Structures are given as C-alpha cells and as structure tokens.
Amino acid sequence: MSWIVDNSLTWFQKFCINVLKCGPIPRHVAFIMDGNRRFAKKIHLKRKDGHTRGFDKLAETLQWCLVLGIKEVTVYAFSIENFKRSSDEVDTLMDLAREKYKRLMEEKDKLMAEGVCIRVIGNLELLPEDIRKLIAEAIIMTKDNNKVFFEYCIRLHF
Ligand code: FPP
C-alpha cells in the first residue's frame, strides 16, 4: 500500500470531515503503533501480515490527517525493546520498512504535491545501512516541504 493514499473518501467520510473541520483542528497529533500481533492472532493471520495491515492503517490515518489539515504528525514506530524480538520478526519488520521506504521514494511526486516534509528522529544506528540510506534520501528529498511534517520515531531513549 502507498504512503499517500489516493483521495477516495466516501460521501459519509467527507461529511464527517466537514463536521470535524467546524471545530478546532489540532496542530500536532502523535500515534503509537501497537497491537499488530494481537490483531493478526485474533483474525488468524501471520505476524508479518499483522504488521503489513498495521502499516496500511497508518497510511490511512495519514490520509485523514492530510485531509483534516493537521500540520504535524508524529509516529512512534520502533523502540529499542522491539529489537529484542526474535531475529525472524526483526528481519520481517526491517524488510517491511525497506519496502515502504523504497515505495516512499517512488512516490516523490505525490509527496511533493502534498508538501510533506519527512523527518526521522531517534537513534538509527541499529538499522541496516541500506535502510538508513533510504531514510536519508527521503529526508533530503522532502526537506524544503513545509505544508505537513511527518515525523517517524525510531529507538528513542526516554
Ligand atoms: C506494534 O505492534 C508495531 C510495531 C512495534 C512495529 C511497527 C513497525 C512497522 C510496521 C514497520 C513499518 C515501517 C514503516 C516505514 C512505518 P506490536 O508488534 O507491538 O503488536 P502487539 O502490541 O500486539 O504485540
């Protein structure tokens, strides 16, 4: 699934957005990704598919934020604890991140049209080098955009 979901809202979704826009819209919203594995277990999917569905939900959520005019979105997606999972699962998550960052680079036109500035914050040194490179490319490519700021947090220490 794409990072920037095409604007294919239903009549009812458009109605809800117009209602929400009548009130104050927050400037900054933050999300913590959680429950991917529990969701997969509940509907008898493989863990990997639970993580993929989690990413798809994130992309959908970003679309809502764009449409609502939320200026800054922060996603806390990968903690130091997550690196302690089985190497199989960490590899699966890294493969998914690699695939999604590659996809992000292919969606340059959409990102530029929407004015999305990508920021990745945290300590990136445990990530494979090719993913760090993709992240650096995404940050550099979108650095002058200023309509929406999308921050992706990895391995933060609190
Ligand atoms: C939370 O559910 C999900 C994570 C800790 C990993 C999220 C990361 C990805 C899906 C990688 C996607 C890549 C990009 C570029 C966004 P959980 O696994 O903790 O599930 P649980 O709460 O049911 O145990």
Side-chain angles (χ1 to χ4, degrees):
M1 186 171 185
S2 159
W3 282 74
I4 307 281
V5 180
D6 288 330
N7 201 344
S8 52
L9 299 172
T10 62
W11 176 88
F12 184 65
Q13 287 170 329
K14 284 182 187 155
F15 170 77
C16 293
I17 282 167
N18 283 331
V19 171
L20 286 170
K21 278 186 166 173
C22 291
I25 297 289
R27 201 196 127 80
H28 187 173
V29 178
F31 301 98
I32 299 177
M33 291 187 83
D34 194 23
N36 291 357
R37 298 183 299 182
R38 273 168 288 159
F39 174 73
K41 197 170 171 193
K42 195 169 165 194
I43 63 164
H44 311 292
L45 290 179
K46 290 185 187 148
R47 270 188 186 169
K48 176 184 188 296
D49 296 327
H51 288 306
T52 303
R53 296 278 279 269
F55 175 83
D56 293 349
K57 195 45 79 180
L58 171 66
E60 228 180 87
T61 308
L62 291 177
Q63 186 204 14
W64 279 90
C65 292
L66 278 175
V67 175
L68 282 167
I70 295 168
K71 185 102 178 135
E72 203 164 333
V73 181
T74 300
V75 179
Y76 185 44
F78 209 81
S79 72
I80 195 153
E81 287 301 313
N82 296 146
F83 278 105
K84 295 179 187 156
R85 293 183 179 185
S86 71
S87 58
D88 236 30
E89 191 176 352
V90 173
D91 287 350
T92 296
L93 285 166
M94 292 301 133
D95 285 347
L96 188 59
R98 187 175 286 111
E99 177 198 321
K100 294 304 176 185
Y101 278 109
K102 279 189 184 151
R103 181 74 192 251
L104 186 72
M105 299 307 292
E106 290 161 14
E107 300 196 314
K108 180 179 178 183
D109 292 350
K110 277 196 212 169
L111 281 175
M112 300 318 249
E114 296 283 355
V116 180
C117 172
I118 307 276
R119 292 169 171 166
V120 181
I121 54 175
N123 304 311
L124 310 186
E125 55 309 338
L126 281 184
L127 295 177
E129 196 181 340
D130 64 319
I131 298 184
R132 277 188 275 154
K133 200 163 167 248
L134 287 167
I135 289 174
E137 283 171 19
I139 293 173
I140 292 168
M141 177 177 86
T142 62
K143 71 178 173 31
D144 296 324
N145 290 345
N146 58 8
K147 203 166 146 210
V148 183
F149 294 89
F150 172 49
E151 275 158 4
Y152 182 71
C153 312
I154 297 174
R155 195 183 162 233
L156 290 181
H157 297 285
F158 290 105

